[in-house]
Amino acid sequence: MKIGFIGLGIMGKPMAKNLIKAGHELKLYNRSKAPAEEAAAFSNGKAVAVNSAAEAAEGVELLLTMLPNSPHVKSVMLEDGKAAEHMTPGATFIDMSSINPIASREIAGELAKLGIDMLDAPVSGGEPKAIDGTLSFMVGGKPEVFEKFKPVLQAMGSSVVLCGDVGAGNVTKLCNQAVVAVNIAALSEALMLGKKAGVDPEAIYQAIKGGLAGSAVMDAKAPMILDRNFKPGFRIDLHIKDLSNVFDAAKSVDAPMPLTAQVFEMMKLLHGDGHGQKDHSALALVYEKLANTEITMG
């Protein structure tokens, strides 16, 4: 399939490479050219780096975006780049960014006027799962469009679930981000309790990970906390962006989010302390600062 791909950052570049591995022909655009050129060089001629979002949109059956937030997607599709106007009527747009579901529905409405279908399909799993092609996709849109392009998403992910109409994918992603944030905070809190009580946090992790407390979040983030490895798979600043969207959505439907609100404040403290570009496992640093103690044994 001929696919345009816009946005080759930490997540987008490995996702594009997995599409190339699956045999798709890609037109790649990124504001800084190096990531697109790297992916194109990896492709053995199956992909080409192009000079604009509009060029990526021309003559493709499917256009994908993986961008930071709602304004970026709106700008590329409807404003500065106006990529939508360069798409062929009958083509499909899938936005894999994590954005406000209200924005997803607004973009879908404008694309419908041009005869273009849209799915919103944000992902969970961070850089490691983007690299190995085991991301989780949460999708909103028409069932028939979903079924047509599900194999494309399966080239990048091990879980691809239709959650409802356009916007439902991003609502589900916001729910995911709330769960992840609270999980990491609870994990950090528990490991600090163990450390302060004189029990090795590594032993605590090994003992509880197979029980009811165990989770994919724990398995991904506990080793990072214990190794004090906060190299970003998913940055604090990006999680702050997602939680801002959580609260916008929650306010619009009058949903209470007290636990998420507490973790949001912790993340803002980390940003203020200069840790915004660290992985969200760096929530542990809040507890270390409060306790004046490192979680790792030593």
Side-chain angles (χ1 to χ4, degrees):
M1 185 180 295
K2 290 185 178 180
I3 299 172
F5 198 117
I6 300 171
L8 288 98
I10 284 179
M11 299 289 289
K13 185 170 67 175
M15 291 166 73
K17 287 183 175 181
N18 283 325
L19 288 175
I20 293 166
K21 289 178 187 176
H24 297 288
E25 298 177 31
L26 269 64
K27 296 169 72 176
L28 305 165
Y29 174 70
N30 196 68
R31 189 169 58 180
S32 56
K33 293 192 69 173
E37 291 173 344
E38 178 189 330
F42 164 86
S43 74
N44 292 320
K46 291 181 181 178
V48 59
V50 298
N51 295 315
S52 69
E55 191 176 350
E58 290 173 351
V60 298
E61 184 177 354
L62 174 63
L63 180 65
L64 303 173
T65 49
M66 189 64 181
L67 297 168
N69 205 355
S70 309
H72 305 89
V73 181
K74 281 188 172 181
S75 174
V76 163
M77 293 303 295
L78 304 175
E79 297 166 5
D80 298 338
K82 293 188 177 180
E85 294 184 0
H86 295 265
M87 295 179 71
T88 304
T92 297
F93 171 56
I94 302 180
D95 178 35
M96 304 181 296
S97 320
S98 296
I99 70 173
N100 192 311
I102 295 171
S104 294
R105 291 168 183 143
E106 290 173 352
I107 294 166
E110 293 301 312
L111 294 181
K113 298 174 185 177
L114 300 172
I116 297 165
D117 282 315
M118 176 178 168
L119 301 175
D120 65 311
V123 302
S124 178
E127 183 183 14
K129 290 185 178 291
I131 291 170
D132 65 21
T134 59
L135 290 166
S136 295
F137 283 87
M138 295 147 271
V139 188
K142 299 175 184 175
E144 62 272 22
V145 179
F146 170 76
E147 291 298 333
K148 180 177 179 179
F149 293 102
K150 184 177 180 180
V152 175
L153 301 180
Q154 287 174 323
M156 299 176 282
S158 58
S159 172
V160 181
V161 178
L162 181 65
C163 302
D165 294 333
V166 170
N170 271 301
V171 170
T172 305
K173 177 60 187 289
L174 296 181
C175 295
N176 178 88
Q177 294 303 81
V179 171
V180 170
V182 174
N183 253 311
I184 297 173
L187 170 65
S188 301
E189 193 167 295
L191 293 178
M192 180 57 77
L193 168 63
K195 173 63 182 289
K196 294 287 284 185
V199 180
D200 185 351
E202 171 69 30
I204 292 170
Y205 165 56
Q206 294 298 332
I208 69 176
K209 68 178 183 178
L212 189 59
S215 68
V217 172
M218 179 181 287
D219 286 339
K221 301 305 174 180
M224 296 181 72
I225 293 169
L226 294 169
D227 291 342
R228 299 187 62 73
N229 168 25
F230 302 121
K231 179 183 176 183
F234 192 79
R235 292 184 175 92
I236 286 285
D237 283 347
L238 283 176
H239 213 140
I240 288 173
K241 178 266 296 184
D242 284 349
L243 294 186
S244 296
N245 286 333
V246 166
F247 295 120
D248 285 344
K251 183 178 180 181
S252 71
V253 296
D254 197 26
M257 307 289 294
L259 292 176
T260 307
Q262 290 295 318
V263 182
F264 183 56
E265 294 302 319
M266 293 163 63
M267 288 185 174
K268 290 196 292 183
L269 285 172
L270 287 168
H271 173 85
D273 284 346
H275 300 304
Q277 294 302 301
K278 289 185 170 68
D279 187 78
H280 50 182
S281 58
L283 275 166
L285 296 177
V286 174
Y287 289 93
E288 293 189 345
K289 185 175 183 178
L290 290 170
N292 195 29
T293 303
E294 288 188 3
I295 287 174
T296 51
M297 294 298 287

